[in-house]
Amino acid sequence: MQGAHEHRCTNPHNITYHIGCFREATGCAVSGEATTEYTWFPGYAWRIALCANCHAHLGWRFQSRDDYFHGLIMARLTSAGPLRIKEADI
């Protein structure tokens, strides 16, 4: 996106995120209505992207009329896969 895979973006509360752009994000669920307010990518509306398993905030899904991508917070991603809780641990 905009010529790069990774970006540093600052929200209106002055919190800066290091995000990576991904076409697909298996394991993410989106929440809320799409909005263009404070978008980091002109022409794209965004929605919150959550872990479909634990509902932790992972980033955002950006969408335009013809395109979409996930902007995910790099520090919150893991290659370990979804957390599996055994019944004995409950």
Side-chain angles (χ1 to χ4, degrees):
M1 195 61 201
Q2 298 176 338
H5 164 67
E6 295 184 23
H7 301 270
R8 294 208 183 275
C9 302
T10 303
N11 71 13
H13 300 287
N14 208 32
I15 299 170
T16 299
Y17 295 96
H18 174 206
I19 64 170
C21 298
F22 301 88
R23 171 68 55 204
E24 299 300 328
T26 304
C28 276
V30 293
S31 178
E33 295 293 321
T35 181
T36 57
E37 188 172 13
Y38 304 116
T39 188
W40 294 319
F41 301 97
Y44 287 81
W46 59 270
R47 296 171 70 189
I48 298 290
L50 305 171
C51 172
N53 187 45
C54 72
H55 308 290
H57 176 221
L58 296 180
W60 304 265
R61 178 182 161 119
F62 292 90
Q63 59 194 59
S64 71
R65 175 174 280 157
D66 305 328
D67 193 25
Y68 70 92
F69 66 95
H70 294 81
L72 302 180
I73 302 165
M74 298 299 286
R76 297 186 185 173
L77 302 182
T78 177
S79 61
L83 176 64
R84 303 284 186 217
I85 299 174
K86 297 180 214 165
E87 191 172 329
D89 294 337
I90 300 176

PDB file of all heavy atoms in Angstrom, residues 27 51-56 58 76 78-87 89-90:
ATOM      1  N   GLY A  27      -8.204 -15.622  10.435  1.00  0.00           N
ATOM      2  CA  GLY A  27      -8.250 -15.512  11.888  1.00  0.00           C
ATOM      3  C   GLY A  27      -8.684 -14.144  12.376  1.00  0.00           C
ATOM      4  O   GLY A  27      -8.857 -13.945  13.562  1.00  0.00           O
ATOM      5  N   CYS A  51      -8.964 -10.457  16.680  1.00  0.00           N
ATOM      6  CA  CYS A  51      -8.695 -11.890  16.620  1.00  0.00           C
ATOM      7  C   CYS A  51     -10.040 -12.605  16.721  1.00  0.00           C
ATOM      8  O   CYS A  51     -10.814 -12.353  17.653  1.00  0.00           O
ATOM      9  CB  CYS A  51      -7.775 -12.308  17.765  1.00  0.00           C
ATOM     10  SG  CYS A  51      -7.573 -14.100  17.900  1.00  0.00           S
ATOM     11  N   ALA A  52     -10.324 -13.471  15.777  1.00  0.00           N
ATOM     12  CA  ALA A  52     -11.601 -14.195  15.775  1.00  0.00           C
ATOM     13  C   ALA A  52     -11.694 -15.163  16.954  1.00  0.00           C
ATOM     14  O   ALA A  52     -12.787 -15.555  17.340  1.00  0.00           O
ATOM     15  CB  ALA A  52     -11.781 -14.947  14.464  1.00  0.00           C
ATOM     16  N   ASN A  53     -10.557 -15.505  17.542  1.00  0.00           N
ATOM     17  CA  ASN A  53     -10.536 -16.451  18.654  1.00  0.00           C
ATOM     18  C   ASN A  53     -10.689 -15.745  20.013  1.00  0.00           C
ATOM     19  O   ASN A  53     -11.586 -16.063  20.776  1.00  0.00           O
ATOM     20  CB  ASN A  53      -9.242 -17.270  18.614  1.00  0.00           C
ATOM     21  CG  ASN A  53      -9.221 -18.386  19.626  1.00  0.00           C
ATOM     22  OD1 ASN A  53     -10.199 -19.105  19.766  1.00  0.00           O
ATOM     23  ND2 ASN A  53      -8.122 -18.528  20.322  1.00  0.00           N
ATOM     24  N   CYS A  54      -9.818 -14.774  20.284  1.00  0.00           N
ATOM     25  CA  CYS A  54      -9.809 -14.139  21.621  1.00  0.00           C
ATOM     26  C   CYS A  54     -10.348 -12.716  21.622  1.00  0.00           C
ATOM     27  O   CYS A  54     -10.480 -12.104  22.669  1.00  0.00           O
ATOM     28  CB  CYS A  54      -8.397 -14.165  22.199  1.00  0.00           C
ATOM     29  SG  CYS A  54      -7.255 -13.021  21.390  1.00  0.00           S
ATOM     30  N   HIS A  55     -10.635 -12.166  20.457  1.00  0.00           N
ATOM     31  CA  HIS A  55     -11.202 -10.827  20.273  1.00  0.00           C
ATOM     32  C   HIS A  55     -10.242  -9.692  20.632  1.00  0.00           C
ATOM     33  O   HIS A  55     -10.677  -8.563  20.853  1.00  0.00           O
ATOM     34  CB  HIS A  55     -12.530 -10.676  21.022  1.00  0.00           C
ATOM     35  CG  HIS A  55     -13.497 -11.753  20.696  1.00  0.00           C
ATOM     36  ND1 HIS A  55     -14.117 -11.860  19.474  1.00  0.00           N
ATOM     37  CD2 HIS A  55     -13.914 -12.820  21.420  1.00  0.00           C
ATOM     38  CE1 HIS A  55     -14.884 -12.929  19.467  1.00  0.00           C
ATOM     39  NE2 HIS A  55     -14.781 -13.540  20.627  1.00  0.00           N
ATOM     40  N   ALA A  56      -8.931  -9.963  20.672  1.00  0.00           N
ATOM     41  CA  ALA A  56      -7.940  -8.905  20.887  1.00  0.00           C
ATOM     42  C   ALA A  56      -7.878  -8.018  19.643  1.00  0.00           C
ATOM     43  O   ALA A  56      -8.044  -8.485  18.514  1.00  0.00           O
ATOM     44  CB  ALA A  56      -6.570  -9.517  21.155  1.00  0.00           C
ATOM     45  N   LEU A  58      -6.316  -6.422  16.708  1.00  0.00           N
ATOM     46  CA  LEU A  58      -5.140  -6.711  15.893  1.00  0.00           C
ATOM     47  C   LEU A  58      -4.840  -5.612  14.889  1.00  0.00           C
ATOM     48  O   LEU A  58      -3.742  -5.543  14.361  1.00  0.00           O
ATOM     49  CB  LEU A  58      -5.310  -8.032  15.140  1.00  0.00           C
ATOM     50  CG  LEU A  58      -5.427  -9.283  16.003  1.00  0.00           C
ATOM     51  CD1 LEU A  58      -5.602 -10.505  15.121  1.00  0.00           C
ATOM     52  CD2 LEU A  58      -4.218  -9.425  16.906  1.00  0.00           C
ATOM     53  N   ARG A  76       1.529  -7.246  17.511  1.00  0.00           N
ATOM     54  CA  ARG A  76       0.463  -8.112  18.028  1.00  0.00           C
ATOM     55  C   ARG A  76       0.295  -9.402  17.231  1.00  0.00           C
ATOM     56  O   ARG A  76      -0.565 -10.214  17.556  1.00  0.00           O
ATOM     57  CB  ARG A  76      -0.858  -7.345  18.065  1.00  0.00           C
ATOM     58  CG  ARG A  76      -0.771  -6.176  19.018  1.00  0.00           C
ATOM     59  CD  ARG A  76      -2.069  -5.490  19.208  1.00  0.00           C
ATOM     60  NE  ARG A  76      -1.870  -4.305  20.036  1.00  0.00           N
ATOM     61  CZ  ARG A  76      -2.793  -3.411  20.284  1.00  0.00           C
ATOM     62  NH1 ARG A  76      -4.002  -3.565  19.782  1.00  0.00           N
ATOM     63  NH2 ARG A  76      -2.530  -2.369  21.035  1.00  0.00           N
ATOM     64  N   THR A  78       1.540 -13.101  15.701  1.00  0.00           N
ATOM     65  CA  THR A  78       2.359 -14.239  16.093  1.00  0.00           C
ATOM     66  C   THR A  78       2.241 -15.319  15.035  1.00  0.00           C
ATOM     67  O   THR A  78       1.221 -15.412  14.355  1.00  0.00           O
ATOM     68  CB  THR A  78       1.930 -14.794  17.470  1.00  0.00           C
ATOM     69  OG1 THR A  78       2.720 -15.941  17.764  1.00  0.00           O
ATOM     70  CG2 THR A  78       0.468 -15.182  17.508  1.00  0.00           C
ATOM     71  N   SER A  79       3.263 -16.119  14.913  1.00  0.00           N
ATOM     72  CA  SER A  79       3.199 -17.240  13.981  1.00  0.00           C
ATOM     73  C   SER A  79       2.805 -18.519  14.704  1.00  0.00           C
ATOM     74  O   SER A  79       2.762 -19.586  14.114  1.00  0.00           O
ATOM     75  CB  SER A  79       4.552 -17.434  13.288  1.00  0.00           C
ATOM     76  OG  SER A  79       5.547 -17.722  14.246  1.00  0.00           O
ATOM     77  N   ALA A  80       2.498 -18.407  15.988  1.00  0.00           N
ATOM     78  CA  ALA A  80       2.168 -19.580  16.802  1.00  0.00           C
ATOM     79  C   ALA A  80       0.789 -20.143  16.475  1.00  0.00           C
ATOM     80  O   ALA A  80       0.488 -21.263  16.836  1.00  0.00           O
ATOM     81  CB  ALA A  80       2.237 -19.228  18.279  1.00  0.00           C
ATOM     82  N   GLY A  81      -0.049 -19.387  15.822  1.00  0.00           N
ATOM     83  CA  GLY A  81      -1.404 -19.843  15.541  1.00  0.00           C
ATOM     84  C   GLY A  81      -2.327 -19.551  16.709  1.00  0.00           C
ATOM     85  O   GLY A  81      -1.902 -19.001  17.723  1.00  0.00           O
ATOM     86  N   PRO A  82      -3.583 -19.909  16.586  1.00  0.00           N
ATOM     87  CA  PRO A  82      -4.546 -19.608  17.641  1.00  0.00           C
ATOM     88  C   PRO A  82      -4.223 -20.329  18.937  1.00  0.00           C
ATOM     89  O   PRO A  82      -3.719 -21.460  18.928  1.00  0.00           O
ATOM     90  CB  PRO A  82      -5.885 -20.096  17.083  1.00  0.00           C
ATOM     91  CG  PRO A  82      -5.632 -20.574  15.717  1.00  0.00           C
ATOM     92  CD  PRO A  82      -4.171 -20.577  15.456  1.00  0.00           C
ATOM     93  N   LEU A  83      -4.493 -19.675  20.028  1.00  0.00           N
ATOM     94  CA  LEU A  83      -4.311 -20.258  21.342  1.00  0.00           C
ATOM     95  C   LEU A  83      -5.348 -21.357  21.539  1.00  0.00           C
ATOM     96  O   LEU A  83      -6.527 -21.149  21.315  1.00  0.00           O
ATOM     97  CB  LEU A  83      -4.474 -19.192  22.417  1.00  0.00           C
ATOM     98  CG  LEU A  83      -4.408 -19.629  23.854  1.00  0.00           C
ATOM     99  CD1 LEU A  83      -3.024 -20.175  24.180  1.00  0.00           C
ATOM    100  CD2 LEU A  83      -4.741 -18.492  24.778  1.00  0.00           C
ATOM    101  N   ARG A  84      -4.903 -22.506  21.935  1.00  0.00           N
ATOM    102  CA  ARG A  84      -5.803 -23.625  22.204  1.00  0.00           C
ATOM    103  C   ARG A  84      -5.845 -23.862  23.715  1.00  0.00           C
ATOM    104  O   ARG A  84      -4.815 -24.095  24.339  1.00  0.00           O
ATOM    105  CB  ARG A  84      -5.308 -24.906  21.516  1.00  0.00           C
ATOM    106  CG  ARG A  84      -5.132 -24.777  20.034  1.00  0.00           C
ATOM    107  CD  ARG A  84      -6.464 -24.817  19.328  1.00  0.00           C
ATOM    108  NE  ARG A  84      -6.227 -24.828  17.894  1.00  0.00           N
ATOM    109  CZ  ARG A  84      -6.976 -24.200  17.034  1.00  0.00           C
ATOM    110  NH1 ARG A  84      -8.032 -23.538  17.424  1.00  0.00           N
ATOM    111  NH2 ARG A  84      -6.701 -24.242  15.758  1.00  0.00           N
ATOM    112  N   ILE A  85      -7.016 -23.782  24.290  1.00  0.00           N
ATOM    113  CA  ILE A  85      -7.184 -24.013  25.735  1.00  0.00           C
ATOM    114  C   ILE A  85      -7.731 -25.414  25.949  1.00  0.00           C
ATOM    115  O   ILE A  85      -8.764 -25.761  25.389  1.00  0.00           O
ATOM    116  CB  ILE A  85      -8.128 -22.958  26.349  1.00  0.00           C
ATOM    117  CG1 ILE A  85      -7.524 -21.556  26.151  1.00  0.00           C
ATOM    118  CG2 ILE A  85      -8.372 -23.241  27.809  1.00  0.00           C
ATOM    119  CD1 ILE A  85      -8.432 -20.435  26.579  1.00  0.00           C
ATOM    120  N   LYS A  86      -7.027 -26.169  26.760  1.00  0.00           N
ATOM    121  CA  LYS A  86      -7.495 -27.520  27.076  1.00  0.00           C
ATOM    122  C   LYS A  86      -8.537 -27.430  28.167  1.00  0.00           C
ATOM    123  O   LYS A  86      -8.485 -26.576  29.048  1.00  0.00           O
ATOM    124  CB  LYS A  86      -6.313 -28.370  27.563  1.00  0.00           C
ATOM    125  CG  LYS A  86      -5.242 -28.573  26.553  1.00  0.00           C
ATOM    126  CD  LYS A  86      -4.153 -29.421  27.169  1.00  0.00           C
ATOM    127  CE  LYS A  86      -2.816 -28.992  26.620  1.00  0.00           C
ATOM    128  NZ  LYS A  86      -1.722 -29.492  27.389  1.00  0.00           N
ATOM    129  N   GLU A  87      -9.482 -28.319  28.125  1.00  0.00           N
ATOM    130  CA  GLU A  87     -10.551 -28.344  29.132  1.00  0.00           C
ATOM    131  C   GLU A  87      -9.957 -28.456  30.524  1.00  0.00           C
ATOM    132  O   GLU A  87     -10.461 -27.852  31.468  1.00  0.00           O
ATOM    133  CB  GLU A  87     -11.503 -29.512  28.870  1.00  0.00           C
ATOM    134  CG  GLU A  87     -12.750 -29.436  29.702  1.00  0.00           C
ATOM    135  CD  GLU A  87     -13.767 -30.496  29.297  1.00  0.00           C
ATOM    136  OE1 GLU A  87     -13.818 -30.870  28.111  1.00  0.00           O
ATOM    137  OE2 GLU A  87     -14.497 -30.940  30.184  1.00  0.00           O
ATOM    138  N   ASP A  89      -7.387 -27.035  31.654  1.00  0.00           N
ATOM    139  CA  ASP A  89      -6.838 -25.750  32.077  1.00  0.00           C
ATOM    140  C   ASP A  89      -7.914 -24.778  32.539  1.00  0.00           C
ATOM    141  O   ASP A  89      -7.604 -23.722  33.060  1.00  0.00           O
ATOM    142  CB  ASP A  89      -6.045 -25.117  30.924  1.00  0.00           C
ATOM    143  CG  ASP A  89      -4.812 -25.894  30.570  1.00  0.00           C
ATOM    144  OD1 ASP A  89      -4.320 -26.648  31.433  1.00  0.00           O
ATOM    145  OD2 ASP A  89      -4.342 -25.761  29.426  1.00  0.00           O
ATOM    146  N   ILE A  90      -9.169 -25.136  32.365  1.00  0.00           N
ATOM    147  CA  ILE A  90     -10.277 -24.220  32.701  1.00  0.00           C
ATOM    148  C   ILE A  90     -10.654 -24.362  34.148  1.00  0.00           C
ATOM    149  O   ILE A  90     -10.666 -25.345  34.749  1.00  0.00           O
ATOM    150  CB  ILE A  90     -11.483 -24.455  31.776  1.00  0.00           C
ATOM    151  CG1 ILE A  90     -11.048 -24.196  30.347  1.00  0.00           C
ATOM    152  CG2 ILE A  90     -12.650 -23.582  32.168  1.00  0.00           C
ATOM    153  CD1 ILE A  90     -12.117 -24.471  29.317  1.00  0.00           C
TER     154      ILE A  90
END
